[in-house]
Amino acid sequence: MSLLTTQSLSKYYGSKAALEGVDLALEAGAPIALVGPNGAGKTTLLSLLCGFIKPSKGKITILGQAAGDPALLGRVSCLPQDGLLDPNFTVLQQLSFFGRLQGLGHRQAQDEAMRVLTLVDLQTVAQSKPTTLSHGMGKRVAIAQALMGSPELVLLDEPTAGLDPANARAIRELVRAQSANTNFIISSHNLDELEKLCGTVLYLEQGRLTQSLSLEQQGGASFLSLSMQSCETDMLQQGLESLPSVIRVRAKNGKDFLIEYQGGEPYVLEQQLLELCKAQGAKYKLLQNGRSLEDTLFS
Ligand SMILES: Nc1ncnc2c1ncn2[C@@H]1O[C@H](COP(=O)(O)OP(=O)(O)OP(=O)(O)O)[C@@H](O)[C@H]1O
């Protein structure tokens, strides 16, 4: 099922092009990652998808409707990058208010607010004011708000930025659990996190979509990632390059090697590789099939 399409989508702020000619055709399914350096246009793209701002050029269709169409109310929601809760109202009051805006009755809105607070494991703060919450708790409440009414598409702009590892992990697990029923688009600078969660990665650079890859399809069949504890870098690189099925070897940080190969069974190469390490007196730490998202995007 088509989740969203954009055609020649551009957004200018004055003469500044924040997005330029972006064409997307995304299917419903596993979470989609939105990646790119600072200022690449990620927040602009999410704001356009939410209908918060209008395109300068081009067209966006989400779940069969134009972005911002009232028919998408309750079907698409967003966690803005710097989304703030109102300090004057309790968490329950604020979430219930969003439920009322979606057309729920008073009681239904409160029940829905408690449901989403339970999803983020924060039902105990329902009667608290946001000022009494930690940064991580506030972020989890904001994510709960984005899940109100079980929208079909949830846009998360840097959902784990500034969170400690435990809170970041709780949010990842929440997204993973919810992604069976909900489509997510997640903007983040944490490539490891996105690699664990997402099926598709969109890479924006200076407002243009420069890469769009499926992590599910690439499978990593022709790459091995080798991390050494200790080795003679140049000697090991030369040894690796001389193995029959190896096409290319890239050394990083002196101890990590990305090995591209073709043909043959991976276990034969793995065995040759371990024998090579032994022959050179090099100590290996980790050998993994495939390559990281970072290697995929930047190699
Ligand atoms: N309201 C605005 N007025 C003028 N320029 C803007 C505005 N919002 C964004 N920009 C510019 O548009 C470009 C894209 O910004 P955007 O915030 O979409 O990038 P981003 O990829 O989300 O960056 P970051 O990773 O730093 O959050 C940047 O050059 C930014 O300075």
Side-chain angles (χ1 to χ4, degrees):
M1 179 187 119
S2 170
L3 180 63
L4 70 86
T5 59
T6 69
Q7 286 157 341
S8 308
L9 182 63
S10 301
K11 178 69 187 175
Y12 305 108
Y13 296 109
S15 58
K16 164 88 198 169
L19 276 186
E20 187 77 72
V22 172
D23 292 311
L24 287 174
L26 300 173
E27 295 291 312
I32 295 156
L34 185 55
V35 185
N38 290 129
K42 303 180 294 296
T43 298
T44 300
L45 177 58
L46 293 184
S47 303
L48 286 163
L49 297 180
C50 288
F52 294 161
I53 54 174
K54 298 272 174 233
S56 307
K57 277 195 222 155
K59 196 176 158 201
I60 308 171
T61 306
I62 302 178
L63 301 166
Q65 307 286 339
D69 191 299
L72 291 174
L73 187 67
R75 297 182 72 194
V76 178
S77 76
C78 178
L79 168 75
Q81 190 170 13
D82 302 311
L84 289 176
L85 296 161
D86 191 319
N88 299 306
F89 297 94
T90 67
V91 166
L92 182 61
Q93 283 170 325
Q94 296 191 56
L95 295 189
S96 302
F97 175 69
F98 281 98
R100 298 299 301 270
L101 288 179
Q102 290 180 355
L104 299 178
H106 178 71
R107 184 59 202 265
Q108 278 175 309
Q110 288 211 336
D111 289 349
E112 179 60 6
M114 288 310 296
R115 183 187 74 83
V116 292
L117 280 175
T118 307
L119 284 179
V120 298
D121 203 16
L122 280 180
Q123 57 278 36
T124 51
V125 307
Q127 300 301 342
S128 305
K129 297 252 176 88
T131 42
T132 65
L133 305 179
S134 71
H135 176 62
M137 291 160 99
K139 199 94 172 182
R140 273 155 60 199
V141 170
I143 290 178
Q145 182 182 313
L147 295 174
M148 286 282 297
S150 302
E152 290 152 74
L153 172 61
V154 177
L155 309 166
L156 301 177
D157 200 354
E158 303 200 20
T160 58
L163 297 189
D164 65 56
N167 267 300
R169 190 189 165 124
I171 285 175
R172 277 199 298 277
E173 281 172 4
L174 173 71
V175 170
R176 190 172 289 121
Q178 295 302 308
S179 62
N181 306 310
T182 309
N183 298 286
F184 287 93
I185 299 182
I186 307 167
S187 157
S188 170
H189 290 289
N190 186 336
L191 297 184
D192 288 343
E193 166 174 295
L194 294 173
E195 188 170 13
K196 285 180 201 138
L197 279 178
C198 297
T200 304
V201 179
L202 308 174
Y203 189 76
L204 279 177
E205 218 172 350
Q206 295 185 345
R208 292 182 181 274
L209 182 71
T210 54
Q211 295 190 62
S212 169
L213 21 117
S214 163
L215 294 179
E216 283 154 353
Q217 274 167 20
Q218 69 163 358
S222 57
F223 288 91
L224 284 175
S225 296
L226 172 68
S227 290
M228 302 299 296
Q229 211 167 349
S230 65
C231 66
E232 178 57 56
T233 307
D234 291 343
M235 190 167 80
L236 184 57
Q237 180 160 3
Q238 281 167 21
L240 291 169
E241 282 166 348
S242 69
L243 296 177
S245 55
V246 170
I247 305 167
R248 209 171 289 120
V249 177
R250 194 158 67 87
K252 303 175 293 171
N253 319 319
K255 299 231 172 90
D256 296 325
F257 299 85
L258 177 66
I259 302 160
E260 189 178 351
Y261 67 96
Q262 70 179 6
E265 294 290 344
Y267 70 85
V268 174
L269 175 59
E270 286 169 25
Q271 205 170 356
Q272 291 169 339
L273 205 143
L274 296 179
E275 279 164 11
L276 177 71
C277 288
K278 194 171 169 200
Q280 293 194 1
K283 290 191 181 141
Y284 95 98
K285 192 161 71 180
L286 190 66
L287 178 60
Q288 284 180 301
N289 267 317
R291 56 180 172 168
S292 67
L293 177 55
E294 187 180 337
D295 283 329
T296 307
L297 288 172
F298 301 116
S299 59

